[in-house]
mmCIF file of all heavy atoms in Angstrom:
data_model
loop_
_atom_site.group_PDB
_atom_site.id
_atom_site.type_symbol
_atom_site.label_atom_id
_atom_site.label_comp_id
_atom_site.label_asym_id
_atom_site.label_seq_id
_atom_site.Cartn_x
_atom_site.Cartn_y
_atom_site.Cartn_z
ATOM 1 N N ASN L 13 82.564 83.451 86.192
ATOM 2 C CA ASN L 13 83.124 82.230 85.608
ATOM 3 C C ASN L 13 82.275 81.055 86.098
ATOM 4 O O ASN L 13 82.355 80.675 87.259
ATOM 5 C CB ASN L 13 84.586 82.085 86.071
ATOM 6 C CG ASN L 13 85.195 80.753 85.683
ATOM 7 O OD1 ASN L 13 84.668 80.041 84.820
ATOM 8 N ND2 ASN L 13 86.309 80.401 86.316
ATOM 9 N N LYS L 15 82.527 78.009 85.333
ATOM 10 C CA LYS L 15 83.281 76.738 85.375
ATOM 11 C C LYS L 15 82.444 75.624 84.725
ATOM 12 O O LYS L 15 81.790 75.886 83.734
ATOM 13 C CB LYS L 15 83.672 76.414 86.821
ATOM 14 C CG LYS L 15 84.323 77.593 87.538
ATOM 15 C CD LYS L 15 84.955 77.191 88.827
ATOM 16 C CE LYS L 15 85.463 78.436 89.540
ATOM 17 N NZ LYS L 15 86.346 78.141 90.648
ATOM 18 N N LEU L 99 89.099 83.401 79.072
ATOM 19 C CA LEU L 99 90.065 83.266 80.160
ATOM 20 C C LEU L 99 91.280 82.542 79.585
ATOM 21 O O LEU L 99 91.135 81.712 78.683
ATOM 22 C CB LEU L 99 89.498 82.405 81.292
ATOM 23 C CG LEU L 99 88.258 82.879 82.050
ATOM 24 C CD1 LEU L 99 87.869 81.841 83.102
ATOM 25 C CD2 LEU L 99 88.505 84.223 82.708
ATOM 26 N N HIS L 102 93.608 80.025 83.832
ATOM 27 C CA HIS L 102 92.939 79.884 85.131
ATOM 28 C C HIS L 102 93.665 78.807 85.939
ATOM 29 O O HIS L 102 94.142 77.816 85.372
ATOM 30 C CB HIS L 102 91.462 79.515 84.925
ATOM 31 C CG HIS L 102 90.679 79.581 86.202
ATOM 32 N ND1 HIS L 102 90.725 78.573 87.140
ATOM 33 C CD2 HIS L 102 89.867 80.536 86.709
ATOM 34 C CE1 HIS L 102 89.960 78.914 88.171
ATOM 35 N NE2 HIS L 102 89.426 80.107 87.932
ATOM 36 N N SER L 103 93.725 78.969 87.246
ATOM 37 C CA SER L 103 94.533 78.036 88.060
ATOM 38 C C SER L 103 94.037 76.602 87.929
ATOM 39 O O SER L 103 94.825 75.663 88.038
ATOM 40 C CB SER L 103 94.555 78.466 89.520
ATOM 41 O OG SER L 103 93.295 78.259 90.097
ATOM 42 N N GLU L 104 92.723 76.439 87.681
ATOM 43 C CA GLU L 104 92.227 75.054 87.530
ATOM 44 C C GLU L 104 92.747 74.437 86.227
ATOM 45 O O GLU L 104 93.001 73.237 86.158
ATOM 46 C CB GLU L 104 90.692 75.058 87.601
ATOM 47 C CG GLU L 104 90.230 75.299 89.039
ATOM 48 C CD GLU L 104 88.904 76.005 89.195
ATOM 49 O OE1 GLU L 104 88.130 76.079 88.221
ATOM 50 O OE2 GLU L 104 88.639 76.505 90.306
ATOM 51 N N CYS L 133 94.780 84.890 83.863
ATOM 52 C CA CYS L 133 94.674 84.624 85.302
ATOM 53 C C CYS L 133 96.037 84.244 85.861
ATOM 54 O O CYS L 133 96.738 83.396 85.286
ATOM 55 C CB CYS L 133 93.702 83.470 85.556
ATOM 56 S SG CYS L 133 92.051 83.770 84.897
ATOM 57 N N GLU L 175 94.287 85.990 91.080
ATOM 58 C CA GLU L 175 93.485 85.056 91.866
ATOM 59 C C GLU L 175 94.411 84.164 92.705
ATOM 60 O O GLU L 175 94.961 83.180 92.176
ATOM 61 C CB GLU L 175 92.660 84.164 90.946
ATOM 62 C CG GLU L 175 91.713 84.921 90.038
ATOM 63 C CD GLU L 175 90.599 84.011 89.554
ATOM 64 O OE1 GLU L 175 90.883 83.070 88.805
ATOM 65 O OE2 GLU L 175 89.458 84.234 89.958
ATOM 66 N N ALA L 179 92.605 81.139 97.633
ATOM 67 C CA ALA L 179 91.353 81.873 97.907
ATOM 68 C C ALA L 179 90.216 81.401 97.004
ATOM 69 O O ALA L 179 89.052 81.736 97.243
ATOM 70 C CB ALA L 179 91.585 83.372 97.717
ATOM 71 N N ILE L 180 90.546 80.612 95.976
ATOM 72 C CA ILE L 180 89.509 80.207 95.015
ATOM 73 C C ILE L 180 88.642 79.100 95.607
ATOM 74 O O ILE L 180 89.136 78.026 95.949
ATOM 75 C CB ILE L 180 90.148 79.747 93.685
ATOM 76 C CG1 ILE L 180 90.862 80.933 93.020
ATOM 77 C CG2 ILE L 180 89.094 79.163 92.755
ATOM 78 C CD1 ILE L 180 91.547 80.600 91.718
ATOM 79 N N GLY L 181 87.364 79.411 95.758
ATOM 80 C CA GLY L 181 86.389 78.417 96.220
ATOM 81 C C GLY L 181 86.557 77.994 97.670
ATOM 82 O O GLY L 181 85.970 77.007 98.091
ATOM 83 N N THR L 182 87.338 78.728 98.441
ATOM 84 C CA THR L 182 87.621 78.306 99.819
ATOM 85 C C THR L 182 86.917 79.154 100.867
ATOM 86 O O THR L 182 86.901 78.789 102.047
ATOM 87 C CB THR L 182 89.136 78.412 100.103
ATOM 88 O OG1 THR L 182 89.517 79.787 99.906
ATOM 89 C CG2 THR L 182 89.954 77.510 99.206
ATOM 90 N N GLY L 183 86.403 80.301 100.459
ATOM 91 C CA GLY L 183 85.819 81.219 101.443
ATOM 92 C C GLY L 183 86.875 82.065 102.149
ATOM 93 O O GLY L 183 86.549 82.922 102.960
ATOM 94 N N GLY L 217 90.204 87.994 92.085
ATOM 95 C CA GLY L 217 89.275 86.858 92.113
ATOM 96 C C GLY L 217 89.651 85.910 93.236
ATOM 97 O O GLY L 217 90.837 85.718 93.536
ATOM 98 N N GLY L 218 88.644 85.305 93.839
ATOM 99 C CA GLY L 218 88.870 84.343 94.925
ATOM 100 C C GLY L 218 87.875 84.600 96.034
ATOM 101 O O GLY L 218 88.041 85.536 96.819
ATOM 102 N N SER L 219 86.772 83.781 96.039
ATOM 103 C CA SER L 219 85.762 83.846 97.109
ATOM 104 C C SER L 219 85.114 85.225 97.266
ATOM 105 O O SER L 219 84.759 85.630 98.370
ATOM 106 C CB SER L 219 86.356 83.379 98.440
ATOM 107 O OG SER L 219 86.695 82.001 98.345
ATOM 108 N N VAL L 220 84.972 85.941 96.137
ATOM 109 C CA VAL L 220 84.230 87.216 96.196
ATOM 110 C C VAL L 220 82.742 86.890 96.241
ATOM 111 O O VAL L 220 82.269 86.002 95.532
ATOM 112 C CB VAL L 220 84.540 88.097 94.957
ATOM 113 C CG1 VAL L 220 83.696 89.373 94.994
ATOM 114 C CG2 VAL L 220 86.017 88.432 94.888
ATOM 115 N N LEU L 238 86.621 88.801 89.458
ATOM 116 C CA LEU L 238 86.324 87.565 88.729
ATOM 117 C C LEU L 238 85.691 86.631 89.764
ATOM 118 O O LEU L 238 86.286 86.364 90.807
ATOM 119 C CB LEU L 238 87.607 86.975 88.138
ATOM 120 C CG LEU L 238 87.510 85.647 87.392
ATOM 121 C CD1 LEU L 238 86.455 85.685 86.288
ATOM 122 C CD2 LEU L 238 88.864 85.293 86.760
ATOM 123 N N VAL L 239 84.471 86.183 89.442
ATOM 124 C CA VAL L 239 83.648 85.520 90.452
ATOM 125 C C VAL L 239 83.266 84.122 89.989
ATOM 126 O O VAL L 239 82.739 83.965 88.881
ATOM 127 C CB VAL L 239 82.347 86.340 90.661
ATOM 128 C CG1 VAL L 239 81.532 85.758 91.800
ATOM 129 C CG2 VAL L 239 82.661 87.809 90.918
ATOM 130 N N GLY L 240 83.505 83.116 90.807
ATOM 131 C CA GLY L 240 83.106 81.751 90.480
ATOM 132 C C GLY L 240 81.763 81.431 91.112
ATOM 133 O O GLY L 240 80.701 81.758 90.591
ATOM 134 N N GLY L 241 81.818 80.797 92.290
ATOM 135 C CA GLY L 241 80.609 80.312 92.963
ATOM 136 C C GLY L 241 79.474 81.317 93.042
ATOM 137 O O GLY L 241 78.314 80.977 92.774
ATOM 138 N N ALA L 242 79.786 82.565 93.369
ATOM 139 C CA ALA L 242 78.722 83.566 93.575
ATOM 140 C C ALA L 242 78.124 84.072 92.259
ATOM 141 O O ALA L 242 77.226 84.918 92.283
ATOM 142 C CB ALA L 242 79.265 84.732 94.392
HETATM 143 C C1 PEP J 1 87.404 81.527 90.045
HETATM 144 O O1 PEP J 1 87.386 80.321 89.867
HETATM 145 O O2 PEP J 1 87.861 82.278 89.178
HETATM 146 C C2 PEP J 1 86.887 82.049 91.320
HETATM 147 C C3 PEP J 1 87.224 83.243 91.667
HETATM 148 O O3 PEP J 1 86.095 81.198 92.063
HETATM 149 P P1 PEP J 1 85.360 81.543 93.453
HETATM 150 O O4 PEP J 1 84.722 82.898 93.286
HETATM 151 O O5 PEP J 1 84.330 80.453 93.599
HETATM 152 O O6 PEP J 1 86.392 81.540 94.500
#
Side-chain angles (χ1 to χ4, degrees):
N13 172 16
K15 311 192 185 193
L99 297 179
H102 189 281
S103 71
E104 287 150 16
C133 302
E175 301 201 294
I180 295 179
T182 60
S219 295
V220 176
L238 177 54
V239 186

